[in-house]
Amino acid sequence: MTNLNRFELLLHESGGKPFVFDHDDMRTLHFDHQYIQSAMSISAPDKLLLSYTRAMMGFLLFQAAPKHILMVGLGGGSLVKYCYRNFPAARITVLELHAEVIALRDQFMIPADDQRLQVIHADAAAYMQAQQENSADIVMLDGFSADGPASELSTSDFYKACLHCLAPQGVLVSNLWDRPTPAVPAIAQALLGTDWRIWWCRTEDSHNYIAFFVKGNDAGVFRPVVLNRAQKLDQRFDLRLSELVPSFQLVKHFSEEA
């Protein structure tokens, strides 16, 4: 049976639920036939294979020692596993709407819940509204449906709630996928009257837009300072942040299309 035939069979048997597909050393998560939701090397399960996941780790350029990382969207757990292995002092909370995705965590070798890691079956929009101020150092938004970014996670109220829960030196990282325009009005409304800045970049192969919400950061000195940080971080982590920094751009006007 060919790989295509095996995939079509798994797709049919899934009955519309998330499913796992293995090809050589690659294990991928799918919601349908269109997109790969997550990818893992079976022989190196903690490695970040997709460039957009490495780009999201760019929060380290702004906050290198997080104590609490809050993630929205479990998927195949690439970011969860990487943070769990590389930041032993950090507590990690993951919100996932779909129980069917959580049920696949063992196949993606996601560690079991413990004192440092908690995967919660929850509606992130409702959960974030209930969070207290200063409750997270990093918020990572990577919640998707089969068709793209979940609409309930693209509202002004949701972004406000995410920013509200961040500590003073906290960072919000959002995967805006390849169509950031629909989220622009909500983001603009959420940031009215605040001192948040947004730096965004595009990954080299997946074309995802990744946005980093940070406070301060003088645009005039940003690039050389952050490039120096990236070079030091690249000595510790396999993230290739030095390659990413030149693509960073400051969002000055929300009427601009990213």
Side-chain angles (χ1 to χ4, degrees), residues 240-258:
R240 290 179 260 171
L241 296 178
S242 297
E243 300 175 12
L244 191 68
V245 168
S247 71
F248 271 86
Q249 295 187 42
L250 177 65
V251 178
K252 297 178 181 178
H253 305 290
F254 286 100
S255 58
E256 295 178 357
E257 212 174 287

Side-chain angles (χ1 to χ4, degrees):
M1 183 181 293
T2 67
N3 284 321
L4 178 58
N5 288 338
R6 285 197 304 111
F7 182 88
E8 293 295 338
L9 178 61
L10 287 169
L11 175 63
H12 175 73
E13 291 177 344
S14 72
K17 294 182 179 180
F19 65 96
V20 173
F21 179 68
D22 287 354
H23 172 50
D24 295 332
D25 188 47
M26 182 81 72
R27 178 166 294 167
T28 51
L29 173 67
H30 301 263
F31 293 166
D32 57 20
H33 67 283
Q34 294 189 73
Y35 304 110
I36 293 175
Q37 297 293 333
S38 189
M40 180 187 79
S41 165
I42 297 172
S43 62
D46 296 344
K47 184 176 181 179
L48 294 178
L49 293 185
L50 303 181
S51 63
Y52 95 86
T53 59
R54 297 192 296 272
M56 291 191 73
M57 291 303 302
F59 73 74
L60 291 168
L61 297 168
F62 309 98
Q63 168 54 271
K67 296 179 181 178
H68 182 205
I69 302 172
L70 177 55
M71 300 183 180
V72 175
L74 175 65
S78 299
L79 289 165
V80 178
K81 289 182 291 185
Y82 190 86
C83 290
Y84 186 84
R85 304 299 186 195
N86 287 282
F87 305 102
R91 181 167 59 92
I92 303 168
T93 303
V94 188
L95 310 178
E96 174 54 55
L97 179 63
H98 300 290
E100 296 91 347
V101 171
I102 298 175
L104 298 175
R105 67 184 291 174
D106 289 345
Q107 294 191 57
F108 284 96
M109 305 181 199
I110 299 170
D113 284 7
D114 57 19
Q115 292 183 340
R116 292 181 46 222
L117 172 62
Q118 186 177 21
V119 177
I120 303 174
H121 180 207
D123 179 341
Y127 185 97
M128 295 303 297
Q129 290 292 340
Q131 290 305 288
Q132 297 181 350
E133 192 174 6
N134 301 334
S135 59
D137 299 289
I138 305 296
V139 174
M140 307 182 80
L141 303 183
D142 194 26
F144 285 76
S145 65
D147 300 319
S151 59
E152 60 271 22
L153 306 184
S154 300
T155 69
S156 176
D157 285 345
F158 180 70
Y159 272 93
K160 285 180 180 178
C162 291
L163 295 172
H164 174 77
C165 84
L166 284 171
Q169 301 302 315
V171 182
L172 170 63
V173 188
S174 182
N175 177 11
L176 299 178
W177 207 33
D178 64 349
R179 296 197 299 268
T181 305
V184 168
I187 293 173
Q189 181 65 31
L191 298 191
L192 280 177
T194 75
D195 58 349
W196 289 94
R197 291 176 178 263
I198 301 179
W199 290 90
W200 65 266
C201 62
R202 290 193 75 173
T203 56
E204 74 273 12
D205 56 4
S206 66
H207 305 296
N208 292 59
Y209 287 86
I210 308 298
F212 299 87
F213 296 66
V214 296
K215 287 192 174 182
N217 286 287
D218 186 335
V221 300
F222 171 86
R223 206 172 303 280
V225 169
V226 172
L227 181 58
N228 181 261
R229 293 177 189 167
Q231 290 168 345
K232 292 179 180 178
L233 288 166
D234 283 346
Q235 294 174 8
R236 296 176 55 198
F237 307 107
D238 183 22
L239 295 172
R240 290 179 260 171
L241 296 178
S242 297
E243 300 175 12
L244 191 68
V245 168
S247 71
F248 271 86
Q249 295 187 42
L250 177 65
V251 178
K252 297 178 181 178
H253 305 290
F254 286 100
S255 58
E256 295 178 357
E257 212 174 287

